[in-house]
Amino acid sequence: MAEKTTIVNLTEEEFVHPGNRACSGCGLSIVYRMGLKALGKNTILVVPPSCLTVLQGLYPVASTKLPCVNVTFASTGAAASGVRGAMKALNKKDVNVVAWAGDGGTGDIGIQALSGACERGEEIIYICYDNEAYMNTGVQRSGTTPQGVLTTTTPIKGKLQTKKDVPAIIAAHGIDYVATASAAYPVDLYDKVKKATTITGPKYIHVLTPCPPGWGFETRYTIKVGKLAVETGLFDLYEIDKGEFRLTGASKKLLGKERKPVSEYFKSQGRFKSLDADMVDAVQRQVDAKWQAYAEKLDQ
Amino acid sequence: MAHRDFCKMISRSKPGPGDGGKTGSWRVLRPILHAEKCIPVKAGKKACFNCWLYCPDCVVTKTIPPTIDLEYCKGCGICAEECPADAIDMVAEDSFSVKEK
Amino acid sequence: MHIIESGNVAAATGVKLARAQVIAAYPITPQTPLTEKLSEFVESQELDAQYIPVESEHSAMAVCIAASSAGARAFTATSANGLLYMNEQLHWAVGARLPVVMCVANRGIGAPWTVWNDQQDSMSQRDVGWIQLYANDHQQIIDSVIKAFRLAQSVSIPVMVCYDGYLLSHTYMPFERPGQEQVDAFLPSFTPKHFLNPDEPGNFNTVTLPDIRPGVDGTMEPGYIEIRHNLHQDLRGALEVYADIDAEYEKECGRGGTPFVEQYRCDDAECVAVAVGSLSYQLRDVIDILRLEGLRVGVMSVQMYRPFPDGAIVEALAGRKSVIVFEKALSYGNQGPLYADIKAALYSRGDRPPMQNYILGLGGREIKTSQLLDALRQSCSAIEAIDDTPRWIGLKL
C-alpha cells in the first residue's frame, strides 16, 4: 500500500504560479493548488467562466503550469468529453482530462453537459469548487447557496430555497466515484483527487470552498470557517465508491461524537446575519436528523 | 501559391508568475515568522508545515525555517491563523519604513 | 465510383473519406440520417473515429471545440434550431481558430415550428466568422465536405457546409465518390500549430485585454482587437487559399473550377438570376425556357457566402442589365442578406446593374417553376433602377 499522505510527504511541486489574481485568502486557490498537485503534469484542464478564469490569468500570462482550454459556460462536461475523445483518437494515454468549474458552472448552467458526460461514462474527472454563490460576478445566489444566505440577488431576506445537492444528483447517474471535500482539509482533498486518477469512467469531486468576500469573513479565517462547516455537521466529507457511501476524514471522526452547534458556523460569517433563531433551530434539527441517519446507516 | 501565414494571433497564454503584478503590494498586514517558536525549527526536522500547506498563493517554502515570498504574499494571514505554535504574527505594513518595503 | 444515395449520405461519405477523428452530433430533422450514417460507419469500424452521442447541439460543438483544441479532426452536423442553439459555440470555435467542419442541412427556424427547408438558419449565422460553403447538389455536398476539411486546417478557421434540407438531404441522386487514395493525397493529416499539450502547456482562450500586453518573455502580445483583426484578415486570405484548394481538388478528382460562384448561360446574359443552393439548379430549367423565348438570361449560384467572394461576384455581375436575387432567407426588417451583400459589392462600380430581390420558399413553401418564370419575365427587362423592397413569391393570403 502506498505511503499515507501527510503534510510532510506531500509533494513540493507546484503547478500554480504566485502573483495570480485570486483574492487574498481565496479558498479556491488552496483547492486548486492541492488538486493540481494530485493530478500532476500529464493533465489537461477544461475550465468554464468562473473565479478560476481570473485566477488563471489574463492573456498572455497563465498562472497555471498545465495545458488548459477555457470553454463556454454551459459546455464544460461536453468539452471535457471532447478532449478525451481526441486523446483516444490520437492514441494518447495516461492523460488526466479534468473539468474544473464553480458551483454555477456545475450545478446550474453546466448541469446538462455534466449529466450527459456522466451518462455516457466519459473518462473524465470533474471537480466542482462550491463557494455557494456566483462569486465571479459579485455574489449572486446560485442553486447551491444555502437557505437564508444574503447575496446581492437575495439582499434582504436571504435565499428562500434550500441548497441543491449536486453530488447526490451526480451520484444518481450511477458513476463509480463521487466524493466531497473541503478547502479546509487539503490532504483529504489531495487523496480523493489522487484516487480519482486511478478509477475509470466519470469521477466527480465536490469541494466546499470558503470565499472571504462572498461569505463575509476575514481572509485569515478561510480554513477555520471551512473546518466549522464540517465540525458542525453541515457539510460532510464523504466518498461514494462504486455506490458505497462512507464518511471520510474529519466527518468520519464526528460519528458518535458531539458536534459543534450550527450557530457557531452561522456566526462566523456575515452572509448569515439575516437568519433568525427559528431558522437556526430548524437547520440544527435537520443536521441532527441527518447525522442520526448516518449513525444508523453506517453503524451496521 | 504562397499564402499568408495564417493564425498568427491566438489567445494562448504561457505560464509565468505575477499575472496580477507584484501582489505583495496588496498586503495590509505582513506575516513575520518567529523562527524560535516554529515547530520544525524547534524539532530540527521536517514537521508541521501548516503555513506551507494552507497558503493559497504558494509563497511559503517547505523549509526549516519556512520562508515567505513577500513579493507575492497577499497578506491573508491564514498562515498566522493556522500556525499551531503562534509563530507567525501579522504586522501592519505601515509600521515598516519605506526602505524596508 | 458512382453511387446513388441521399445528400446526407453524400455528406457522411465525405466525412468518412476525410478521416474525421472525433464526431459529435445531436439528431435534428433533416440532418438526422447523416448522424445515423456516421454512427454506423464508426460502429462498423469503417471509420476509425470517436463518435460522441452528446445531449445537445451546444455540447456537440463543445466536443468539437475541445477535440480540435487537443489536435483531432472534428466534425458535427445540425439544422435550424440546433444551429441556433450552438450560436455561442460557433463564435467560440472561430475565435479559438479551430478547423472544425460542420454540415448544415438547411431548415427554417421556429417559431412557429417548421421542419421544412429554407436557408434562414445558416444565413443568420453569417457574421460569426465561419467560412460558409453552399452545395447545389449531392456531388457538391461530398466534394465540399472534403475540401472544407482541407480549407479549415489551411487557414485555422471552421467551415460550414450547407445544403438544402429535404431537397438535397433526403433526395437520392447519383454522384461520384472519390477514392480513399485520392482523398488521402489531397487532404494531409491534421497537425495543428497550437494544441493542448502537457509537454508545452498553454492556456487557451484566456481573458484578453482591450490593449496589448507583454508576455512572460517581455514580448508585446496582441489585445482582443488585434486578434480579431487577424481573424478577419485570415478570412479574407482564405478566398485565395480556397481557389487554390479547389484547383488542386479538380486536378485530383476532376471536379471544380467554380469555388465561389457557378454560372449557367451567363456568358452573353443581360439579366442574371442569383440564388444559393438547389434553387439555382431549379432556375437553370427556368433560364432554358426563357432563352427559348429570346430572353438573354443566365443564373449564378453563390457557392461561398463567407468570406464574401466580392471579387468573383463583381466580375460576374458588373455591367449586366439587371440582377435578380432569389433568397430563402431574410434579414428581417431589411432585405435578403445576399441581396444586400451583392448590392454593396457592386456599389463602387459605375456599371452597377439595377437589382431586385425576391423572397420565397420560407418554411418549405413550394417554389413552382411557373412562379420563377413569371418573376424573371417581369423583372429581367422591366427594372431600370435598384428596387430595394423585397418582393415575395407565392404568398397566398
Side-chain angles (χ1 to χ4, degrees), chain C residues 5-293:
Chain C
E5 261 299 353
S6 69
N8 276 327
V9 171
T13 308
V15 174
K16 175 167 157 284
L17 288 167
R19 298 187 190 278
Q21 293 169 304
V22 175
I23 298 163
Y26 190 76
I28 182 169
T29 302
Q31 155 267 33
T32 310
L34 163 54
T35 308
E36 292 170 340
K37 194 70 192 174
L38 286 170
S39 329
E40 183 191 317
F41 283 151
V42 174
E43 264 196 37
S44 64
Q45 296 179 324
E46 282 178 73
L47 173 59
D48 182 16
Q50 299 295 315
Y51 184 91
I52 303 181
V54 284
E55 79 297 332
S56 77
E57 289 89 355
H58 193 275
S59 285
M61 190 51 71
V63 165
C64 289
I65 286 167
S68 188
S69 300
R73 184 173 281 164
F75 177 82
T76 186
T78 190
S79 297
N81 289 63
L83 181 68
L84 303 188
Y85 191 37
M86 278 182 190
N87 175 275
E88 166 193 41
Q89 301 284 61
L90 301 182
H91 286 272
W92 200 264
V94 69
R97 302 303 302 268
L98 301 169
V100 176
V101 171
M102 168 166 64
C103 282
V104 176
N106 287 120
R107 161 181 157 181
I109 53 189
W113 279 121
T114 170
V115 296
W116 296 276
N117 166 251
D118 66 37
Q119 294 163 342
Q120 189 69 30
D121 51 359
S122 58
M123 284 284 173
S124 74
Q125 300 302 305
R126 65 189 179 278
D127 293 338
V128 299
W130 280 56
I131 293 168
Q132 286 195 352
L133 304 177
Y134 285 83
N136 297 340
D137 65 5
H138 296 43
Q139 188 65 60
Q140 288 185 3
I141 292 173
I142 185 169
D143 292 342
S144 298
V145 165
I146 295 164
K147 286 187 278 190
F149 279 104
R150 173 78 186 273
L151 175 60
Q153 70 186 40
S154 301
V155 299
S156 295
I157 296 171
V159 181
M160 219 180 269
V161 178
C162 310
Y163 52 90
D164 290 311
Y166 289 119
L167 299 174
L168 295 179
S169 69
H170 281 62
T171 54
Y172 281 65
M173 295 268 283
F175 57 91
E176 173 81 16
R177 184 179 61 197
Q180 186 65 61
E181 327 72 56
Q182 286 177 301
V183 176
D184 288 344
F186 170 76
L187 180 63
S189 60
F190 174 40
T191 44
K193 213 171 181 177
H194 311 282
F195 62 100
L196 292 164
N197 180 4
D199 293 326
E200 201 191 322
N203 197 321
F204 289 74
N205 320 321
T206 35
V207 177
T208 299
L209 292 165
D211 212 341
I212 58 173
R213 187 186 182 211
V216 285
D217 60 0
T219 316
M220 204 50 91
E221 300 291 349
Y224 181 91
I225 195 170
E226 282 81 17
I227 290 174
R228 287 289 164 159
H229 174 253
N230 184 247
L231 164 65
H232 179 71
Q233 294 301 106
D234 282 357
L235 265 163
R236 297 306 300 172
L239 287 164
E240 192 188 4
V241 174
Y242 189 55
D244 290 348
I245 285 172
D246 179 74
E248 216 180 295
Y249 190 78
E250 188 177 17
K251 216 189 295 174
E252 193 65 52
C253 298
R255 287 178 304 280
T258 57
F260 306 125
V261 297
E262 194 181 28
Q263 299 182 71
Y264 178 73
R265 300 188 83 167
C266 283
D267 283 353
D268 64 341
E270 292 176 339
C271 171
V272 175
V274 181
V276 171
S278 62
L279 176 60
S280 72
Y281 280 12
Q282 190 181 357
L283 277 161
R284 288 184 174 192
D285 293 339
V286 176
I287 265 63
D288 287 343
I289 295 167
L290 293 173
R291 283 274 175 177
L292 291 174
E293 294 175 10

Side-chain angles (χ1 to χ4, degrees), chain A residues 196-224:
Chain A
T197 65
T198 66
I199 295 170
T200 54
K203 283 79 59 174
Y204 178 82
I205 302 175
H206 191 98
V207 191
L208 186 69
T209 306
C211 167
W215 291 14
F217 63 84
E218 280 181 45
T219 57
R220 62 190 292 147
Y221 297 128
T222 300
I223 304 301
K224 288 272 186 310

Side-chain angles (χ1 to χ4, degrees), chain A:
Chain A
M1 195 180 149
E3 190 187 12
K4 188 174 179 293
T5 311
T6 64
I7 305 177
V8 171
N9 69 21
L10 192 60
T11 177
E12 284 178 58
E13 192 174 9
E14 301 288 354
F15 295 93
V16 186
H17 278 294
N20 61 57
R21 283 170 208 263
C23 301
S24 181
C26 173
L28 166 61
S29 292
I30 300 167
V31 173
Y32 194 50
R33 186 180 156 225
M34 286 303 138
L36 298 196
K37 277 178 187 286
L39 292 165
K41 178 181 165 290
N42 284 331
T43 298
I44 294 174
L45 295 162
V46 179
V47 175
S50 71
C51 290
L52 184 50
T53 318
V54 178
L55 188 163
Q56 286 200 328
L58 307 189
Y59 179 74
V61 183
S63 299
T64 303
K65 302 177 192 174
L66 297 175
C68 172
V69 60
N70 289 276
V71 299
T72 59
F73 218 165
S75 71
T76 313
S81 309
V83 173
R84 177 55 76 198
M87 293 301 110
K88 286 184 187 165
L90 301 170
N91 204 24
K92 291 183 186 173
K93 298 189 175 90
D94 303 322
V95 177
N96 301 312
V97 177
V98 181
W100 201 303
D103 46 303
T106 300
D108 294 341
I109 193 172
I111 199 164
Q112 174 181 315
L114 171 57
S115 174
C118 289
E119 181 272 331
R120 291 190 302 271
E122 300 286 354
E123 186 62 51
I124 60 171
I125 298 171
Y126 194 109
I127 298 174
C128 168
Y129 70 96
D130 181 5
N131 49 28
E132 300 191 322
Y134 302 149
M135 295 313 185
N136 199 31
T137 45
V139 201
Q140 295 83 32
R141 82 186 280 287
S142 78
T144 65
T145 301
Q147 193 171 23
V149 165
L150 294 170
T151 68
T152 54
T153 49
T154 54
I156 297 161
K157 296 180 189 164
K159 187 184 168 188
L160 301 176
Q161 303 80 8
T162 54
K163 181 180 171 88
K164 188 194 286 194
D165 189 350
V166 179
I169 294 169
I170 303 308
H173 289 74
I175 67 174
D176 277 356
Y177 190 69
V178 173
T180 60
S182 162
Y185 300 94
V187 176
D188 177 73
L189 167 67
Y190 175 92
D191 284 341
K192 284 168 177 168
V193 176
K194 200 85 189 165
K195 184 170 180 175
T197 65
T198 66
I199 295 170
T200 54
K203 283 79 59 174
Y204 178 82
I205 302 175
H206 191 98
V207 191
L208 186 69
T209 306
C211 167
W215 291 14
F217 63 84
E218 280 181 45
T219 57
R220 62 190 292 147
Y221 297 128
T222 300
I223 304 301
K224 288 272 186 310
V225 166
K227 283 189 172 169
L228 267 179
V230 171
E231 290 161 352
T232 55
L234 272 161
F235 184 87
D236 311 323
L237 305 174
Y238 63 76
E239 285 178 324
I240 305 173
D241 195 344
K242 293 194 171 63
E244 192 191 324
F245 178 95
R246 62 174 163 267
L247 291 168
T248 66
S251 292
K252 190 176 173 185
K253 288 182 193 147
L254 281 180
L255 267 179
K257 302 253 170 61
E258 198 169 330
R259 296 176 307 278
K260 291 181 178 171
V262 294
S263 56
E264 203 175 313
Y265 179 69
F266 295 147
K267 278 182 208 150
S268 70
Q269 301 152 65
R271 63 175 176 155
F272 290 111
K273 66 177 180 236
S274 76
L275 284 190
D276 58 24
D278 288 348
M279 175 88 91
V280 174
D281 287 346
V283 174
Q284 186 64 64
R285 283 195 299 275
Q286 284 162 17
V287 169
D288 292 344
K290 178 179 74 177
W291 279 86
Q292 182 61 39
Y294 281 155
E296 285 161 15
K297 185 164 113 186
L298 299 172
D299 222 22
Q300 293 152 9

